[in-house]
Each structure stands twice: as structure tokens, then as C-alpha cells.
Amino acid sequence: MNLNMNSVETLVAQIHGLSGSISDINQLHSLLKQSEDLFQSESTRLAPLLTELDPFMHSLGYLYILDACTSAPISKEQASELVLSIARFINLCAAEQIRLAPDKFTSVCKRFKDQVMLLEDPMQGVAPMLTAIRKLQLSSEHLTTLHPDFLLFCLLAKCYKPGLSILEDDIFDVDQPRDFFLYCYYGGMICIGQKKFSKALELLHNVVTAPMSILNAIVVEAYKKYILVSLIHVGQFSISFPKYTSSVAQRNLKNFSQPYLELANSYGAGKISELELCVQAHNEKFEFDKNLGLVKQVVSCMYKRNIQRLTQTYLTLSLQDIANTVQLNSAKEAEMHVLQMIQDGEIYATINQKDGMVRFLEDPEQYKTCEMIERIDSSIQRIMMLSRKLTDMDEQLSCDPLYLAKVSL
Amino acid sequence: MASSSSSGLTFKLHPLVIVNISDHYTRIKSQSLPPSTTPHAPSASNVADAESSSPPQQSPRVFGCVIGVQRGRTVEIFNSFELLFDPLTHSLDRAFLEKKQELYKKVFPNFYILGWYSTGSDAQESDMLIHRALMDINESPVFVLLNPSINPAQKDLPVTIFESELHVIDGIPQLIFVRSGYTIETVEAERISIDHVAHLKPSDGGSAATQLAAHLTGIHSAIKMLNSRIRGLHHYLLAMQKGDVPVENSLLRQVSSLLRRLPAIESEKFQDDFLMEYNDTLLISYLAMFTNCSSTMNELVDKFNTAYDRQSRRGGRSAFI
């Protein structure tokens, strides 16, 4: 045992010595890889060594020792200290060094997540996890295993803003498919929480149409939310899947989401009373899936959708008529709804309070301004970049041996 | 050979002549190239290389006659025709020239033979012989020289007009070539047809797409040149302001008069219409890019489905063993 401790000491000395230049660090990395089992055997006694090392200069060595320390079972009292020390390490470590051992870093962060969950204080985990993601990512288009954990923290701590900032980045590289599913699902939930329904729809759509060989639970749940968000945001839901959906999803998803599909059907019919009946009928199922809040939003959206349909038929309408057509209880309620919609920018109208008439107007945007030019210009730039990426992917796929095997006869 | 002419004649050149000469040269050059040789074996020695036939590097010279009208002090060169050069006698084919002269006289009674043309980078001594030979038709012929080498840095036309003058050199009166200035003169019909001929593409004449591309490329290069000229002027004015360059009032006056002519239109209505049209064009390009992207995406998805989907929906064919 003493012998082992001595060799650990020598390793620590080497960590100190070899943390200078890039070639030294590579050498250190191979040394550390070789001494893995040494670390494992001494895991309980490594904690005091951490104090000798500087997390910034010796990030790689620190990482290995930290990983070995945390692999041992941790008691509850130690948990909070450990959480703090890991958070400190994440904030201070050097990105280039930890990118040499990404799986070690990921496992440390995963244990960090477990401890934070144990402590039931997800707020502590939000900031360190964000720093960890930014340090581990090779580029802003890279999806790491830490992304879904981070979003989970954001959801549990109910602080959605940092989550939204991560969701802004476009993803082009994915490490593990499971990460992608979870990331999009949690991301969708965050966006629903912030009422950004279009982004939520896009993320949930990604989960449903992602390539997969067998169905998984994440996709089933995502599909249910997808139906509801689609009803809220777009006002309709089409059963047919786009052609890039995997055949597995196409065949099996419908079986798992019957009540939602019935809800979509009755929404399409346009009658509030039928919709309410449907909601009542499947109430327990919705509650079990924790989607009841969304379902209620769907019902309130129904009114909005009907009022919007009125703008296409009438130029002016009295509030009482609106209330009657949309099956609201009184003109006052109708006025409130219309006012809310005007504020949200969903319709353009003016309410004449004297005689209770509503005039529906056209979209006042003339598309003549310089800001509009800048917007279109930036969209064109984005789409040019996307087009370049797509042609690259197309070329790559054309050279893929699987594809060539299937195409050649 | 250089110095400028003192005869006081003004020369006017029509672009048809330039196109004719360059066409003649291009034809002769492409006809004289031998068929392409097979590639040598890598182990061929230098000697073998030297022995193998290689296309003549020097460009062939072409010759011909220019015709036009001389009114007083103005010489206007309208047209040209080709002549064969006899390298043995170093003279042009006389009989052919006279026959052509008669034919042209019937169609254009006003046109006289004003001189001759050739290609090359500069006038040579042997050209004087040809020049003298023509002096019995026209007592002072002109010599039009086209330089066929393409020099991208050169901004002017590579065409020079030479006259002959009697100068006393070393006590002997000699005829030497002297350069003259000239201007390009053209008629509307000629301009349109020359323009058309000059822009003809080697392929099938251009579908709408290539014509549009050519048109836009032209506009693009014009705008680029405008941009670089304005930048140069701006740079110069800045230097003048800083004091690096002596202040030149005439230039400043010209610049200020130019600036006062801009903007041509400035009004609310113009701004509105301009922005609306600009936005429309941007939207159309955006739409075009969208379509392009969607079609690439569509192909990508098809490929992906064929490669990775376990049961393709199209009932794809499996390899028949």
C-alpha cells in the first residue's frame, strides 16, 4: 500500500513538472492513462492530493484524480463539499487540457449532476454546467453529453434564460443520439415554458423525425407534446409524417398517442363544446402524462383561432356577434379576447367602444424600410451558409459505402 | 520609329476595321496550329523533346488593306479586306489587290485604298518595303498595326496608326514610320452589330441563363471599376487634405462640380419606390435560395433513406444474385 502511495506521489510530482507546453501535456496524458488502475485502487486517499494541484495549470492531472475520487461512493455530508469543489474546478480549468480527455470530464460532470440532484438544489448546478459545456464544446455547433443535463437543471430550477441562450445555437455535430433526443425534448419543454411555441415546435419536430431504429420513450412523450404545441401554435395538426421520418416512428407512434389524436380531431371540427367533452373524457390520461396545462392552453387557443378565422370573412363585426360566433359568454369577454390578441400582435384591429364594433385591418407592414432590408439580407446570408453545409453533407453521403451498396445493382 | 506625326491629319478609325483585323489574325492563328501531339513518355530526354514537333511560338503576321475616305485633313478608315503576303518578294499580292479594289469601287464608290494593316508589336524595317509599294496607289498610305498579345494591364486599344515621313537621318533622306493619334468613330448600326458580334459566346449562343449571367457580370465589373475609381479619388483628396500632395484647384473644382450633380433624385416618393423595389429583388433571391436549399435537402433525404432505412417504402430492388 505504501508503495502505491509513493508511486501516486511521484505521479503528482510529474503532473507538476509536465504541465508546461503542449508536448509535455501529451506525454502526461499517456502517463495518466497508463496509471488509471493505480488511481482506481487508491481512490479513497486521493482527496488531500487535490489541494496540492492548481486546477488551471494542472487541469489534466486534477481531472484524473478528481475522477478517481468521485468514483467511490459518496456520503451525503461529503456531497455538498464535493459539489462545491467540482464547481470550482469546472470554473477554473483550462479548456485545451480537458479536451484531451473528454470522457473523463463528462463522467465527472455526470457525477456532479447526480450529487446536485441528491442535494435537491438544481440552482447550484446551472452555472457550472453552462461553463462546462462551453469548455468541452469543440465549436458552438457541437452537441455534448452535458447539454441535456444542463437543460434538465434549468427546467428543475425554473431558470429558463440560460437554457434559451444555449438553445439559440444551431447544432451540426452530435456525439450520442440519446443526447440529441433528450436535448431536443428538454429544449422543447423550456420553450413551451417561455411561450416560444415556434421554437418548441421545431425542437419537438426534430425529436419525432430523428433517425432511429427502434422506438424509445422520449420520442413517444415528445410526440404527445408535439401534437399539443402544434394545435396551439399553428391551429392544426396533420397526421402524415414528413418523408424524412424513420419508418419505425411512422408505424408505431400513433398507437401510443390515441387520446391526443382524438383531441386534434375535435379541435379541427371547430366546436368548443366538443373539445371540452373530449378533454373531459381523457382527463386522467392527460394528467398522468403531466400535459394537462398544455391541454388547457389548447382550449383557450380555440377561441383565438375562431376569432382569427372571422378576420378573413368580415371587415367589421360587433362584439356581440363575435361572442355568439365564437361561443363566448358575453360581449365583454369577446372584447377582452380581442384586446389581448391585438396586444400580442396576432390580429390587426381597432375596437370602437361607442358602438361596440371591431374593424379588422390589414398588416400595416409596408416592407419598405431599411430595417426590413437588413433582416432579409441577414436571412439570405444564413441560408447561404446552410446551403453550403447541405451541399457538403450531400457530397459526403454520396460517398458513403452503405448508400453506394444500396444504389448499385 | 516613334515620334509623333506632324502632318496634321486627323485619323478616324471605325471599329469594324479592328474586328476584321482581329478576326483575320485569330483565324490564321488557329488554322496554323498543328494537331495536338501524344504525351511523351516520362523518360524522354531533352533531346527527344527538342526533336518533337511543337507548335510555333511566334504568332503569324497577317496582312491586308484598309479603305476609307479622305476629306480634307480628315482621314476616315471605314473598312478593310485581307491580302496574301508573298514572303519571297516581300510584297503583297498586287493582282488580287486590284481586283478587290475594283469590286469595292462598285459597291462603295467613295472609298479609296488608304493604306494597309498588319499585326505585330511594333513596325519593322521590312514593312517599309510594303509601304513603298503601296505609295503608287496612295501617295501617303497609312499603316494600321494591331498588337495581338493580350496585356491585361493595358487600358487602351492595342492599335497604332503609322504614317510615313521623309526625315533626314545621317544626311540621307529616308522614309520612316511615325505614330499618329486617332479617334474611334462609329455609326449606330455599326455599334450594335459590332457589340453583338463581340459578345457572341462559343457555345450555342446563350440560353436565357447565360445571357443573364453575362449581363450581370458586365454590370458587376462596371460597378467594381466605379468603386475603385471613386476610392482612388477619395484617397487622393485625403492626401491633399493632409498636405502630402500639393493642392490642385482645377481638380478640386471638377470634383465639387461632380458632387453637386449628385444625387440625381432626392425625394420621399423616390426613396419609397426604390426601397420597395430593392426589397422585392431581395425577396426573390431569398425565394430562389430557399428553392435551391429545399431541392438539395430533398435529394439528401432521399439518399439518406435509401442508405439507412431498413425497409425502404419504395419497395427498392435488392441485388439479384
Side-chain angles (χ1 to χ4, degrees):
Chain A
M1 284 303 127
N2 245 351
L3 205 58
N4 272 344
M5 262 327 270
N6 279 339
S7 28
V8 172
E9 296 283 352
T10 46
L11 266 177
V12 172
Q14 277 177 326
I15 293 176
H16 272 278
L18 288 175
S19 291
S21 65
I22 308 270
S23 48
D24 281 347
I25 294 198
N26 287 335
Q27 200 183 0
L28 178 64
H29 189 205
S30 36
L31 260 178
L32 287 172
K33 268 197 281 208
Q34 285 163 358
S35 352
E36 277 235 22
D37 16 321
L38 182 60
F39 280 133
Q40 290 301 96
S41 58
E42 292 295 316
S43 54
T44 43
R45 296 197 267 172
L46 287 176
L49 291 175
L50 285 177
T51 47
E52 296 177 27
L53 293 174
D54 174 31
F56 180 69
M57 302 272 299
H58 316 122
S59 303
L60 199 55
Y62 199 104
L63 178 64
Y64 269 84
I65 299 189
L66 195 59
D67 180 50
C69 278
T70 50
S71 58
I74 313 271
S75 62
K76 197 126 195 234
E77 310 82 44
Q78 285 184 322
S80 51
E81 297 186 6
L82 191 64
V83 162
L84 284 173
S85 66
I86 297 185
R88 187 173 150 264
F89 169 62
I90 293 178
N91 281 333
L92 293 175
C93 67
E96 311 81 35
Q97 292 200 20
I98 54 165
R99 275 187 204 147
L100 290 172
D103 35 347
K104 287 265 175 232
F105 189 68
T106 319
S107 66
V108 167
C109 292
K110 284 256 183 251
R111 291 200 200 109
F112 171 70
K113 166 189 163 237
D114 296 332
Q115 297 306 316
V116 169
M117 300 294 261
L118 261 181
L119 288 175
E120 288 171 11
D121 184 15
M123 201 60 191
Q124 272 195 19
V126 174
M129 207 51 127
L130 182 58
T131 339
I133 289 180
R134 288 280 177 237
K135 291 201 177 160
L136 190 57
Q137 261 184 340
L138 294 170
S139 73
S140 73
E141 302 163 353
H142 181 214
L143 186 76
T144 61
T145 326
L146 303 175
H147 276 83
D149 295 337
F150 170 67
L151 288 180
L152 185 60
F153 281 153
C154 290
L155 269 174
L156 291 172
K158 295 209 189 343
C159 76
Y160 300 124
K161 287 280 172 51
L164 279 180
S165 67
I166 280 272
L167 286 170
E168 294 287 324
D169 299 330
D170 292 325
I171 304 285
F172 285 107
D173 285 319
V174 176
D175 277 342
Q176 291 260 355
R178 185 166 168 271
D179 303 331
F180 179 69
F181 283 123
L182 277 175
Y183 170 79
C184 286
Y185 180 59
Y186 290 145
M189 283 171 69
I190 291 183
C191 291
I192 293 176
Q194 291 291 92
K195 300 253 188 287
K196 289 195 178 355
F197 288 118
S198 60
K199 184 102 190 151
L201 198 62
E202 186 189 311
L203 286 165
L204 291 172
H205 184 84
N206 282 342
V207 186
V208 170
T209 56
M212 61 186 107
S213 42
I214 44 172
L215 209 52
N216 57 31
I218 309 174
V219 180
V220 173
E221 292 304 312
Y223 188 59
K224 297 177 187 164
K225 291 209 165 57
Y226 177 67
I227 298 179
L228 293 174
V229 174
S230 162
L231 286 178
I232 295 177
H233 185 67
V234 183
Q236 59 192 17
F237 175 73
S238 70
I239 308 246
S240 61
F241 288 96
K243 80 170 176 182
Y244 43 88
T245 328
S246 62
S247 43
V248 171
Q250 287 197 16
R251 273 176 302 193
N252 300 327
L253 272 179
K254 297 200 186 120
N255 306 337
F256 290 98
S257 32
Q258 264 319 105
Y260 296 86
L261 289 171
E262 286 176 18
L263 188 70
N265 279 336
S266 57
Y267 189 96
K271 295 250 179 267
I272 301 267
S273 37
E274 281 185 23
L275 193 64
E276 305 248 323
L277 276 175
C278 190
V279 172
Q280 288 296 69
H282 301 288
N283 210 349
E284 317 82 39
K285 292 237 193 60
F286 292 152
E287 186 133 12
F288 180 68
D289 291 334
K290 303 207 177 68
N291 283 334
L292 204 51
L294 266 181
V295 174
K296 292 212 166 55
Q297 287 192 30
V298 170
V299 176
S300 68
C301 252
M302 180 69 140
Y303 294 113
K304 285 195 204 162
R305 206 57 60 186
N306 288 340
I307 297 182
Q308 267 183 343
R309 227 173 296 175
L310 287 176
T311 65
Q312 288 173 343
T313 333
Y314 295 95
L315 269 182
T316 56
L317 202 54
S318 71
L319 285 169
Q320 190 55 46
D321 283 332
I322 294 184
N324 291 342
T325 342
V326 178
Q327 288 152 22
L328 283 169
N329 291 333
S330 69
K332 263 287 158 205
E333 269 192 42
E335 187 176 343
M336 266 184 6
H337 272 276
V338 174
L339 204 58
Q340 187 62 40
M341 284 173 76
I342 297 178
Q343 272 182 341
D344 291 336
E346 287 165 12
I347 61 172
Y348 303 100
T350 48
I351 305 181
N352 190 339
Q353 297 224 309
K354 262 195 300 188
D355 47 5
M357 296 293 283
V358 180
R359 280 190 72 193
F360 297 119
L361 305 166
E362 290 276 324
D363 180 3
E365 174 66 62
Q366 287 282 40
Y367 298 98
K368 281 200 279 199
T369 56
C370 290
E371 295 85 27
M372 191 50 79
I373 293 185
E374 282 177 21
R375 252 179 67 187
I376 302 184
D377 204 33
S378 65
S379 311
I380 292 185
Q381 299 287 355
R382 264 189 20 219
I383 210 174
M384 273 167 63
M385 211 197 57
L386 188 61
S387 171
R388 239 171 277 152
K389 283 228 156 73
L390 271 180
T391 17
D392 284 341
M393 280 211 310
D394 196 26
E395 278 170 29
Q396 267 186 3
L397 198 52
S398 311
C399 310
D400 192 320
L402 263 179
Y403 169 68
L404 290 171
K406 293 254 175 89
V407 160
S408 61
L409 292 168
Chain B
M1 295 284 166
S3 64
S4 56
S5 141
S6 55
S7 66
L9 290 172
T10 22
F11 290 98
K12 290 189 185 166
L13 190 61
H14 277 247
L16 177 61
V17 179
I18 307 179
V19 173
N20 274 345
I21 303 178
S22 83
D23 178 55
H24 186 196
Y25 171 75
T26 320
R27 248 183 303 124
I28 297 295
K29 181 155 182 209
S30 55
Q31 280 167 9
S32 70
L33 277 177
S36 56
T37 55
T38 55
H40 302 290
S43 57
S45 62
N46 280 346
V47 177
D49 273 349
E51 281 174 347
S52 66
S53 61
S54 54
Q57 290 308 313
Q58 67 279 19
S59 35
R61 286 192 85 184
V62 298
F63 298 87
C65 230
V66 294
I67 61 179
V69 180
Q70 179 163 3
R71 297 190 193 95
R73 308 302 288 170
T74 322
V75 179
E76 198 164 349
I77 306 177
F78 276 98
N79 207 344
S80 64
F81 56 85
E82 303 157 16
L83 286 175
L84 273 179
F85 179 64
D86 190 359
L88 299 171
T89 61
H90 279 281
S91 65
L92 297 173
D93 187 351
R94 203 50 192 241
F96 182 69
L97 190 145
E98 294 189 346
K99 211 169 66 168
K100 272 294 236 206
Q101 191 182 5
E102 268 184 55
L103 290 173
Y104 268 98
K105 264 288 183 206
K106 288 195 191 142
V107 185
F108 301 109
N110 293 337
F111 287 3
Y112 291 96
I113 292 194
L114 291 176
W116 61 294
Y117 71 76
S118 182
T119 55
S121 46
D122 205 355
Q124 293 167 3
E125 293 286 345
S126 50
D127 297 342
M128 196 41 92
L129 296 167
I130 310 174
H131 204 80
R132 272 183 221 270
L134 276 180
M135 276 169 105
D136 57 345
I137 306 182
N138 185 331
E139 61 272 1
S140 174
V142 303
F143 172 36
V144 181
L145 182 72
L146 176 81
N147 188 353
S149 59
I150 302 172
N151 185 0
Q154 190 184 20
K155 295 286 197 282
D156 303 325
L157 286 171
V159 176
T160 348
I161 293 192
F162 290 99
E163 276 190 293
S164 60
E165 276 187 359
L166 208 56
H167 277 218
V168 179
I169 300 173
D170 305 328
I172 312 167
Q174 273 185 355
L175 273 178
I176 57 166
F177 282 122
V178 293
R179 274 173 217 251
S180 314
Y182 62 93
T183 53
I184 302 283
E185 171 96 17
T186 182
V187 190
E188 193 64 23
E190 186 181 3
R191 188 184 65 76
I192 294 174
S193 40
I194 298 267
D195 208 32
H196 192 70
V197 165
H199 288 143
L200 208 55
K201 294 276 183 285
S203 59
D204 62 320
S207 56
T210 52
Q211 275 179 355
L212 179 67
H215 177 241
L216 287 177
T217 323
I219 294 189
H220 177 240
S221 45
I223 294 182
K224 221 166 62 169
M225 182 156 6
L226 178 69
N227 198 9
S228 68
R229 298 254 165 103
I230 292 181
R231 213 188 298 254
L233 202 58
H234 183 232
H235 194 69
Y236 187 69
L237 286 173
L238 275 177
M240 223 192 266
Q241 191 179 44
K242 268 194 277 182
D244 299 334
V245 172
V247 174
E248 210 183 302
N249 278 320
S250 64
L251 184 73
L252 287 176
R253 254 178 270 136
Q254 281 182 336
V255 171
S256 86
S257 76
L258 182 71
L259 286 175
R260 250 178 255 134
R261 271 184 263 156
L262 309 165
I265 316 176
E266 183 82 49
S267 74
E268 184 76 37
K269 181 97 176 42
F270 172 71
Q271 200 70 345
D272 276 349
D273 286 344
F274 171 67
L275 283 175
M276 194 134 62
E277 191 155 330
Y278 189 80
N279 263 329
D280 287 341
T281 324
L282 276 183
L283 276 172
I284 299 283
S285 346
Y286 192 37
L287 183 64
M289 295 238 59
F290 250 125
T291 322
N292 198 9
C293 247
S294 320
S295 95
T296 326
M297 180 99 86
N298 194 25
E299 287 179 16
L300 183 65
V301 165
D302 280 340
K303 290 199 178 119
F304 189 80
N305 279 343
T306 18
Y308 288 101
D309 219 6
R310 243 184 248 162
Q311 276 131 11
S312 89
R313 259 141 293 138
R314 260 170 275 136
R317 309 147 81 158
S318 58
F320 185 78
I321 305 174

